Amino acid sequence: MKIKIGHLYGNLMNTYGDNGNLLMLQYYAREKGVTVETEIISLEQPFDPNEYDLVFFGGGQDYEQYIVSLDIKEKAEQIKQYIEQDGVLLAICGGFQMLGHYYVDATGKRIEGIGVLDHYTLNQENNRFIGNITIKNEETGETYHGFENHNGRTFLGEGVKPLGIVQEGKGNNNEDQTEGAHYKNVFCSYFHGPLLVRNQHLAERIVELAIANRQKKNLIA
């Protein structure tokens, strides 16, 4: 069996080694006997929601995020379709922010997101959330460890669950104890480092969801 991974803006969005998450996804898929094909979808390239079994969207600096924010609007409907048909997606930091309604960057500029997830992000003046972080996923009981470094303060809407509840660290906004987001088969987080290197159980779950979706597609075909 083969799964195909789509790497959204992989040539622009790779802050703090976020692409390590992609390497971990590839590794665990191969450990399960699955062949992996990976393709970057970047500026002025179409996104086909039926083409991919797993999508990764990393973080970027404000300049790169602004460039991506202009282009991703053209892909918004297709990304929404992918998500709503249970496509598996992992988004980190800037990728997480852009899936929401909007984010305010460090200079105070509001950047429109694509609104495929119900959240928004505000900035902080002369401050960042930096340090080790531990969260607990209330659905699975799993604990995730990582490192956060972000200016943004993200607030989730009613239709989106957090990836976990903060045990140590700041999380999405240092107010409501949430970290990241989970909607259908979409997983979002501010963890850099990257997230999946320290949290094998989450990496395996994401890969297993992608494999299950591919198996369903093969049966239909």
Side-chain angles (χ1 to χ4, degrees):
M1 180 191 297
K2 180 177 80 172
I3 64 170
K4 188 169 184 179
I5 300 176
H7 190 181
L8 278 173
Y9 305 100
N11 56 333
L12 294 170
M13 304 285 280
N14 180 28
T15 305
Y16 309 124
D18 284 340
N19 283 1
N21 290 303
L22 183 64
L23 296 175
M24 296 304 293
L25 293 169
Q26 294 169 335
Y27 171 79
Y28 283 115
R30 290 169 181 144
E31 283 290 291
K32 296 179 184 297
V34 175
T35 302
V36 182
E37 177 184 351
T38 303
E39 178 178 89
I40 291 177
I41 309 107
S42 194
L43 302 176
E44 299 183 354
Q45 294 179 322
F47 176 83
D48 183 346
N50 299 309
E51 183 74 12
Y52 305 101
D53 305 297
L54 202 165
V55 172
F56 176 63
F57 194 6
Q61 302 293 341
D62 284 344
Y63 177 72
E64 285 80 8
Q65 283 190 218
Y66 178 67
I67 292 173
V68 170
S69 74
L70 300 177
D71 184 83
I72 198 171
K73 294 173 184 176
E74 302 300 319
K75 302 176 175 65
E77 285 302 315
Q78 291 75 26
I79 293 173
K80 181 177 178 62
Q81 180 183 338
Y82 176 81
I83 290 171
E84 294 300 327
Q85 64 191 24
D86 293 324
V88 184
L89 191 155
L90 173 64
I92 302 295
C93 199
F96 172 20
Q97 293 173 353
M98 275 192 281
L99 294 179
H101 299 297
Y102 65 89
Y103 71 94
V104 179
D105 71 15
T107 69
K109 182 177 181 179
R110 173 170 163 151
I111 310 296
E112 297 302 318
I114 58 174
V116 295
L117 294 184
D118 187 12
H119 64 265
Y120 64 92
T121 301
L122 305 178
N123 67 342
Q124 304 178 70
E125 292 188 12
N126 302 315
N127 189 50
R128 296 181 69 84
F129 297 145
I130 303 175
N132 293 322
I133 180 168
T134 300
I135 65 174
K136 184 172 182 178
N137 185 302
E138 293 190 317
E139 292 185 65
T140 65
E142 295 174 346
T143 298
Y144 306 141
H145 302 277
F147 184 84
E148 60 182 338
N149 184 349
H150 55 104
N151 173 265
R153 296 179 295 129
T154 296
F155 297 86
L156 305 179
E158 293 184 1
V160 181
K161 298 177 181 178
L163 180 64
I165 302 301
V166 176
Q167 309 293 301
E168 174 194 1
K170 306 299 185 182
N172 284 341
N173 51 56
N174 199 32
E175 295 179 28
D176 59 18
Q177 299 299 109
T178 65
E179 202 292 318
H182 183 206
Y183 173 77
K184 287 183 174 284
N185 287 337
V186 179
F187 303 82
C188 303
S189 180
Y190 273 113
F191 282 31
H192 291 295
L195 168 68
L196 299 182
V197 170
R198 296 185 65 185
N199 300 289
Q200 174 182 341
H201 36 333
L202 180 59
E204 290 186 305
R205 177 174 294 108
I206 291 171
V207 168
E208 286 166 0
L209 286 168
I211 292 172
N213 279 354
R214 170 46 54 189
Q215 290 172 333
K216 290 177 186 176
K217 291 177 183 177
N218 289 346
L219 286 174
I220 293 171

